[in-house]
Amino acid sequence: MRSIGEMARDSGLGVSALRFYDRAGVLGPAWVDPASGYRWYAPEQLDEARLLARLRRAGMPLADIRLVLAGWSGEDTDLVRGLLQAHLRRLERGLTEARVEFSTLRELLDHRENPMTASPRTGTVHLSLPAPALATALDAVRFAVGRDPELPVLGGVLFDVEGDALRVVATDRYRLAVARTDAAGHGGSREQVVVPAPLVDAMRALLGGDGSARFAVEGDRVTLEAGERQASGQRLAHDFPDYRRLVQLPPGRRVVVAVPALREALENGPVRVAEEREPGRSARDISVLTTVDDGTVLVCGDGVPREDADGNEDRDNKARENEAGARDTDGLGYRVGVDRGFLLEALAAGDRDRLVLEFGPAPTAPLAIRRTDDEGTFSLLMPVRLED
């Protein structure tokens, strides 16, 4: 017999996935210890679990997977082959339809970009701003810069100059961070320039003291001067997404949290392993947040036993919850899953002992992390879909 931890390691399915498939009636353990709640799997179930993992990676619906497993165990090869072929046809049909839509979208983009007549970037910007304020703004957004080589425009920080304000923005699709600081010297129209991450880091290294900094854009060249030192380089030749549309969120419920308590709850509280992964991304630890009726924010469990460091389930803790030291006027009524590492980075970038968590009207809405004293600096985290 295999424990759930051993089954997860040998089959390629996560522990939380095995629990989900048990609750869904797809693959249940051979025996559950009534005293401890331990799940135990028979040796012959390993092949079924590996088959299940392959079918899920191929995107087969659970209803069909249930039939495939039944046919597999009963040696009904005709049923299994028929289900596999039907799913393959669905995938091929979906891919064909997607190719048509993407071809149309590329044509629309070609018309919009019109590269044959595109003019070089000639924007000019000259700004003066406090060095500590710029350093603080960059620190608030740097964690959200993208690393996907397929999306080079997200590999930098947007400097958005308008009037007497500079906004710096970064996003990797899963999180977005915005910070605002006052600036002087720009009398022209709104200008936007994307500064590559290595140059941003070089600029940040110049901002160690007081005094002012001078930020300049001349065509494709970006320069920051602080004291006698200078960092200069090429801007990214891409247009940044319209972040103003991305931050237009429906009203949510705001909760003021004590950051040290929330950080401790996240680091010591229960986690799940994300079932869905983006290409090239490793498995992520997911924290599940909710509020109870008195407004306390909890990092909550999933109501099932947790595994210990050896992959065995914790018989003494079937649902552990940690208070996050926060109060609100009402309970959420739902749970929202977030990448634990992303949330910890956002809390660190918030740079306050007390921050505001803003939950959206549904668990599919982004979670906002805001400062209590600065509405212009905040970050958004995309939620992770929970299986149950």
Side-chain angles (χ1 to χ4, degrees):
M1 301 285 278
R2 284 179 169 82
S3 70
I4 190 171
E6 293 168 335
M7 191 68 161
R9 287 192 296 271
D10 294 342
S11 68
L13 292 170
V15 169
S16 59
L18 288 170
R19 291 171 179 158
F20 169 73
Y21 295 131
D22 178 15
R23 294 192 295 271
V26 176
L27 180 65
W31 180 66
V32 177
D33 188 327
S36 66
Y38 276 29
R39 291 171 170 85
W40 294 94
Y41 292 83
E44 61 270 18
Q45 289 186 287
L46 178 58
D47 286 341
E48 291 188 22
R50 287 172 172 169
L51 173 61
L52 171 55
R54 289 181 180 275
L55 295 174
R56 286 302 278 166
R57 285 196 294 269
M60 179 174 280
L62 280 179
D64 288 354
I65 288 177
R66 188 177 286 110
L67 291 174
V68 169
L69 292 178
W72 195 278
S73 62
E75 299 184 357
D76 189 347
T77 58
D78 289 340
L79 172 64
V80 173
R81 290 184 185 278
L83 289 167
L84 295 178
Q85 188 62 34
H87 182 59
L88 181 59
R89 285 196 296 268
R90 284 196 299 269
L91 293 176
E92 291 173 342
R93 185 168 58 250
L95 179 58
T96 299
E97 294 171 352
R99 288 186 187 279
V100 172
E101 296 298 338
F102 272 83
S103 177
T104 302
L105 289 170
R106 282 194 293 266
E107 292 177 3
L108 293 172
L109 284 172
D110 289 342
H111 284 299
R112 292 190 64 181
E113 293 173 348
N114 196 10
M116 297 301 294
T117 59
S119 58
R121 299 176 184 272
T122 58
T124 300
V125 175
H126 291 279
L127 287 181
S128 177
L129 60 168
L134 179 57
T136 298
L138 294 178
D139 290 343
V141 305
R142 179 61 179 86
F143 76 99
V145 172
R147 298 182 180 89
D148 188 345
E150 297 295 325
L151 295 170
V153 66
L154 303 185
V157 173
L158 172 68
F159 283 62
D160 183 9
V161 185
E162 186 173 23
D164 60 355
L166 167 67
R167 290 178 176 83
V168 290
V169 186
T171 182
D172 63 359
R173 293 181 294 159
Y174 308 99
R175 49 199 172 162
L176 181 145
V178 180
R180 181 193 181 282
T181 185
D182 293 333
H186 181 67
S189 59
R190 183 184 181 191
E191 293 285 349
Q192 294 182 308
V193 56
V194 184
V195 181
L199 182 53
V200 170
D201 294 338
M203 291 178 172
R204 176 62 183 87
L206 303 182
L207 302 172
D210 295 330
S212 63
R214 296 168 296 284
F215 178 77
V217 180
E218 297 284 351
D220 288 334
R221 197 77 181 168
V222 182
T223 303
L224 181 75
E225 296 180 357
E228 300 298 323
R229 299 187 296 169
Q230 179 185 101
S232 183
Q234 295 289 318
R235 67 194 291 177
L236 290 179
H238 306 281
D239 292 324
F240 202 80
D242 185 0
Y243 73 92
R244 295 191 178 188
R245 294 185 60 181
L246 300 176
V247 301
Q248 293 175 357
L249 303 178
R253 178 173 291 113
R254 295 192 172 195
V255 183
V256 178
V257 297
V259 173
L262 177 54
R263 183 181 297 113
E264 180 180 0
L266 291 168
E267 292 174 345
N268 299 320
V271 294
R272 302 183 180 190
V273 177
E275 296 302 324
E276 297 183 354
R277 305 181 188 179
E278 291 289 326
R281 302 187 75 207
S282 59
R284 298 172 292 159
D285 286 341
I286 305 305
S287 291
V288 182
L289 307 181
T290 191
T291 63
V292 293
D293 289 340
D294 68 353
T296 302
V297 173
L298 298 177
V299 179
C300 57
D302 55 6
V304 294
R306 300 173 63 220
E307 63 273 19
D308 60 23
D310 296 323
N312 298 314
E313 293 180 297
D314 182 355
R315 72 180 70 194
D316 297 323
N317 189 5
K318 292 189 176 182
R320 181 177 300 169
E321 295 181 337
N322 291 277
E323 291 192 11
R327 288 293 184 270
D328 179 328
T329 58
D330 194 9
L332 276 175
Y334 65 79
R335 295 175 297 168
V336 57
V338 294
D339 186 300
R340 180 176 66 170
F342 287 177
L343 180 52
L344 287 170
E345 289 182 333
L347 294 176
D351 194 31
R352 297 290 189 273
D353 287 336
R354 298 181 70 80
L355 292 170
V356 176
L357 296 189
E358 183 174 352
F359 296 86
T364 53
L367 174 71
I369 299 93
R370 306 181 186 274
R371 293 178 177 176
T372 59
D373 58 347
D374 181 5
E375 284 291 318
T377 298
F378 59 91
S379 57
L380 304 177
L381 302 183
M382 291 302 297
V384 179
R385 185 171 66 89
L386 301 177
E387 291 287 353
D388 57 345

